[in-house]
């Protein structure tokens, strides 16, 4: 079993490079066969200029799908070999264009026949294979233009790591981590307030004994996140979502979302009608999570914390749930349009 049998599709980059090297090496020999002393990497620029029109480096780069620095370096090499020359733009003397020299035009004339023969050879390979590589490349390019391989790997990583996350009820052994995680995110931008200290120093007495709940996220059995569902004595809200905190080392795994969802699901199972939360817009990942779950910003609010600059609500009754679902759907649509 060779290397690619062992690695499978994850080694696609290495395999494509090997195929590219194989074709590029043959290309150099093909040019030699036709008496052409050129480098394979020059071909796109030569082809772009073959119709005789003067073009800028920027225009050539855009046409052949390469970067400006890459084309600029190729142009320097080709100018040195006297295949092309720089000329002032006829419409704008401040701008430089590139044109073929007589030697370059001669090379392009030979390349015309070379390209015909290469096309026949490539078609022969295509006809004897089960898959059309050219079409496949086009399809890959289309898909990767919609979402890059990097983005897809990030999503795969998050999905895999999320499977190793467990959300469990708070226990006394989690007291220190509840305090440290909340203290860390609060003091990063602000100072601890009196109500903060009361909650994080005595979570059992200040939250759980008053009818609330705390959830802890374990990643590979290590506590890395916390979130509380605090009982409220309010005509509009039954609970408050509070004290969401995730370890900096565990961020990017969707743990904040899993914790908030656990809190919302718990409130729903208890028959709660409304959930309230207060936060700060500096905490963009948290605000994104709240909106994703359907929370809506209050038009008017009165912060309970000095750092508070946004208050949000989520209703779980049948009618309000439908409104939240519509809001959530619109949020996902607008969110996808901004990415």
């Amino acid at each position: 079993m060779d290397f690619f049998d062992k690695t499978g599709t994850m080694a696609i980059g290495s395999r494509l490079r090997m195929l590219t090297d194989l074709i590029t090496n043959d290309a150099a020999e093909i040019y030699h066969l036709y008496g052409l002393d050129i480098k394979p990497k020059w071909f796109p620029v030569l082809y772009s200029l073959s119709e005789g029109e003067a073009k800028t480096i920027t225009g050539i780069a855009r046409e052949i799908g390469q970067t400006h620095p890459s084309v600029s370096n190729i142009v320097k090499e080709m100018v040195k070999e006297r295949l092309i020359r720089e000329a002032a733009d006829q419409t704008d003397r401040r701008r430089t264009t590139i044109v073929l020299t007589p030697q370059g035009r001669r090379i392009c004339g030979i390349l015309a026949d070379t390209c015909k023969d290469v096309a026949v050879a490539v078609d022969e390979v295509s006809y004897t294979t089960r898959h059309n590589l050219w079409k496949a490349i086009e399809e890959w390019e289309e898909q990767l233009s919609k979402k890059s391989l990097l983005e897809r790997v990030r999503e795969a990583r998050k999905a895999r790591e999320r499977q190793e996350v467990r959300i469990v009820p708070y226990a006394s052994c989690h007291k220190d981590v509840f305090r440290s995680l909340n203290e860390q995110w609060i003091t990063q931008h602000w100072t601890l307030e009196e109500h903060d200290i009361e909650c994080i120093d005595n979570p059992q007495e200040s939250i759980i004994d008053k009818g609330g709940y705390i959830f802890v996220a374990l990643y590979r059995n290590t506590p890395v996140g916390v979130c509380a569902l605090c009982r409220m004595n309010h005509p509009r809200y039954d609970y408050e979502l509070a004290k969401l905190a995730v370890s900096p080392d565990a961020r990017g795994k969707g743990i904040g979302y899993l914790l908030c969802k656990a809190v919302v699901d718990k409130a729903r199972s208890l028959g709660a009608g409304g959930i309230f939360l207060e936060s700060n817009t500096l905490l963009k990942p948290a605000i994104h999570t709240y909106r994703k779950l359907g929370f809506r910003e209050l038009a008017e609010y009165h912060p309970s914390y000095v750092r508070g600059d946004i208050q949000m609500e989520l209703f779980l009754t049948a009618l309000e749930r439908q409104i939240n679902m519509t809001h959530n759907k619109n949020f996902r649509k607008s969110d996808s349009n901004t990415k």
Side-chain angles (χ1 to χ4, degrees), residues 303-327:
S304 303
Y305 293 90
V306 172
R307 63 178 178 271
D309 71 353
I310 184 172
Q311 292 181 320
M312 307 178 80
E313 62 185 8
L314 174 69
F315 291 99
L316 304 174
T317 61
L319 177 60
E320 292 288 355
R321 189 181 303 126
Q322 182 62 40
I323 296 174
N324 288 325
M325 288 173 63
T326 302
H327 166 76

Side-chain angles (χ1 to χ4, degrees), residues 8 16 37 43 45 73 81 117 123 130 142 161 163 197 206 218 226 233 259 261 264 273 296 300 317 331 334 336:
L16 287 174
D37 187 18
F43 172 76
V45 175
N73 289 332
E81 295 299 321
D117 298 341
D123 287 344
R130 288 179 297 162
E142 181 183 358
E161 292 179 336
Q163 293 177 353
I197 296 172
S206 61
L218 305 180
V226 293
N233 182 19
L259 280 165
K261 186 176 184 303
V264 171
R296 292 174 291 173
E300 295 183 12
T317 61
F331 164 73
S334 64
S336 64

Side-chain angles (χ1 to χ4, degrees), residues 84-98:
I84 58 177
R85 64 179 178 85
E86 296 179 341
D89 192 335
Q90 296 300 313
T91 59
D92 186 350
R93 292 288 177 177
R94 296 168 300 176
R95 194 169 62 165
T96 300
T97 58
I98 309 299

Side-chain angles (χ1 to χ4, degrees), residues 63-79:
E63 181 181 338
I64 68 178
Q66 296 187 20
T67 64
H68 188 284
S70 175
V71 173
S72 181
N73 289 332
I74 291 173
V75 165
K76 289 177 183 177
E77 293 178 7
M78 294 175 66
V79 167

